[in-house]
Amino acid sequence: MITVIGTGTGAPLTPDAKEALAGADVVVGARRHLEATGLPRTVERIVLGPLAPALDAIQEHLEKDAKDEERRIVVLASGDPGFFGIVRVLAQRFGARRLDVRPGVSSVATAFARAGLSWDDAVVVSAHGRDLRTALNVCRAHPKVAVLTGPGAGPAELGAGLRSSRRVLVVASALGDPRRERVERVTPSEAAGREWGGAVSVVLCLDEKRAVAPLRTVAGPAPRPAGWALDEEAFAHRDSMITKFEVRALALARLGPRLGDLVWDVGAGSGSVAVECARLGAAVTAVEKTPDGVERIRANAAAHGVDVQVVHGAAPTVLSDLDDPDAVFIGGGGHELPAIVTACARRARRTVVVAMAALDRVPAAREALVGAGFACDGVLLQSSRLAPLPGDVTRLAATNPVFLLWGVRPPARTEGVAP
């Protein structure tokens, strides 16, 4: 067995952790942990710097155990080792059944405790050695997010990417160190303008109006409708100017909105596609040129409890100021549609979906997608819904046909993009 002890964020070790250390023959850990525990000189120490050599050393001891008497191996790790910690790589290398894990208090739990907030409804994302844009999109989409920071992905970089959001950042530095620990509440702009050094542990990104909302339980009332491709009645709209649920269902399937994505809804109208993408976890920017449409999108987003950034302006002009999207839905555009499709296709990392009622615009939209290097496909959607008639009978009522085109960037163009 390998005993893994989480040292938490500075609290004294538990009695069972001390007992495990007292009986250890080999202890693996960062230099600061090995020095702080006061190990006897007879205990063999393995400094945990680069992972590969330490894992190889553990493997050698396990192989000796199989041939000779068993040696007790203890691994010391910061925080909770099962939470973005060393337990994952140890389990992959040696098997979960060989691990005896003694958890500690994670930096995320400590940061939320310092802020006086619960975190059972928080989203946790790591930006350490990962694409920062994923963390930024999670922060844009959700009211309570904890970001584990890393070099080049600290409070300054997070603040710079969130300047236009209604967020507050709680920067928790050197947690557990009584002399250096600091917990500061700043705006994104304030965070972007400061030098933070290398001691930051975690940054909480909060929409303060929603971060302390009551937790909805499974048994409690559901304020939002379940499922997706919701009925048109779930949204405020003008004169039936809304993407019908049959079209929306296929559009959502092709867009594939997910946690960490950024989706544009261009010519958003009522914002039904934008709201549905946000309900599925993506960060969403809705572009709409009419003032009443902008207010309608905001009202629909608020009614469904999601955060949608609404940009008032005409595409493609206003698109240049937006962050690059993973996927784009284009539901309007008129005579500017080819230019809009081209502009979106140049920026989209994965997919562009275009809905059109006018047959004449299909060839130009398809040409724009193909010209941008996308593999293009599409379908004509024409459905008939059940409608009641007098006398307790039912007829079929046809909806207007809609062309749906989608372009997918070939895999070679997305190499290196974080999943």
Side-chain angles (χ1 to χ4, degrees):
M1 295 294 291
I2 303 170
T3 301
V4 187
I5 298 175
T7 62
T9 52
L13 293 176
T14 61
D16 68 324
K18 292 179 179 179
E19 183 180 351
L21 272 175
D25 299 300
V26 181
V27 178
V28 183
R31 193 176 302 278
R32 68 182 188 279
H33 291 146
L34 296 175
E35 293 173 352
T37 50
L39 296 170
R41 292 184 178 180
T42 55
V43 174
E44 182 176 346
R45 297 164 174 81
I46 298 174
V47 177
L48 187 59
L51 269 177
L55 295 175
D56 290 342
I58 294 173
Q59 181 72 52
E60 290 178 9
H61 283 288
L62 292 175
E63 290 173 355
K64 289 178 183 178
D65 291 346
K67 299 176 183 178
D68 200 355
E69 63 182 73
E70 184 175 343
R71 308 190 74 195
R72 288 162 292 188
I73 302 172
V74 173
V75 177
L76 294 171
S78 298
D80 182 348
F83 186 75
F84 289 96
I86 198 170
V87 166
R88 177 176 283 105
V89 293
L90 290 174
Q92 289 172 345
R93 178 74 176 264
F94 306 112
R97 293 185 178 182
R98 301 188 78 164
L99 304 182
D100 174 17
V101 181
R102 317 288 176 88
V105 179
S106 70
S107 60
V108 172
T110 303
F112 276 110
R114 299 288 192 269
L117 291 172
S118 63
W119 65 288
D120 43 25
D121 55 345
V123 178
V124 181
V125 59
S126 176
H128 189 91
R130 294 170 170 84
D131 191 348
L132 178 63
R133 70 184 301 276
T134 300
L136 288 171
N137 288 334
V138 174
C139 289
R140 291 168 179 142
H142 294 273
K144 187 187 291 184
V145 180
V147 183
L148 300 174
T149 60
E157 291 80 7
L158 286 167
L162 297 169
R163 287 182 191 270
S164 61
S165 68
R166 303 183 303 274
R167 298 294 190 264
V168 169
L169 302 183
V170 177
V171 182
S173 307
L175 289 169
D177 187 328
R179 293 173 299 176
R180 299 169 57 228
E181 178 177 299
R182 297 184 68 183
V183 179
E184 302 176 72
R185 188 178 295 259
V186 295
T187 66
S189 294
E190 290 169 342
R194 285 180 53 178
E195 293 288 339
W196 292 93
V200 173
S201 299
V202 62
V203 175
L204 309 183
C205 181
L206 307 173
D207 178 347
E208 293 194 300
K209 291 183 178 179
R210 295 194 291 154
V212 294
L215 179 67
R216 190 172 72 249
T217 63
V218 174
R224 290 186 279 170
W228 54 287
L230 305 176
D231 289 340
E232 290 88 74
E233 289 74 17
F235 305 94
H237 53 87
R238 177 177 61 85
D239 300 330
S240 296
M241 299 293 290
I242 182 173
T243 304
K244 301 301 186 289
F245 70 78
E246 300 96 327
V247 178
R248 213 178 321 122
L250 182 55
L252 289 168
R254 292 294 177 260
L255 290 168
R258 58 187 174 179
L259 187 69
D261 278 355
L262 174 62
V263 179
W264 289 354
D265 182 359
V266 179
S270 67
S272 62
V273 173
V275 168
E276 294 239 41
C277 288
R279 292 178 79 244
L280 292 169
V284 183
T285 299
V287 177
E288 174 56 38
K289 65 181 180 180
T290 66
D292 60 327
V294 167
E295 293 307 315
R296 195 173 293 113
I297 296 166
R298 289 174 176 158
N300 281 326
H304 287 271
V306 295
D307 197 345
V308 173
Q309 179 191 16
V310 186
V311 175
H312 182 200
T317 305
V318 299
L319 302 180
S320 60
D321 296 328
L322 305 181
D323 292 329
D324 287 348
D326 294 278
V328 182
F329 177 75
I330 304 172
H335 296 295
E336 294 289 329
L337 184 62
I340 293 172
V341 175
T342 298
C344 292
R346 287 173 179 166
R347 305 277 301 280
R349 295 159 62 92
R350 187 177 69 237
T351 306
V352 177
V353 178
V354 190
M356 296 159 287
L359 171 63
D360 299 340
R361 292 177 183 148
V362 175
R366 184 178 185 279
E367 183 179 349
L369 288 172
V370 173
F374 282 77
C376 187
D377 204 346
V379 67
L380 170 64
L381 294 176
Q382 190 169 8
S383 63
S384 296
R385 300 181 179 181
L386 296 178
L389 282 174
D392 197 24
V393 294
T394 304
R395 70 181 180 91
L396 288 174
T399 61
N400 290 330
V402 175
F403 291 92
L404 203 70
L405 293 182
W406 56 89
V408 178
R409 194 177 291 283
R413 298 289 296 276
T414 58
E415 290 179 354
V417 176

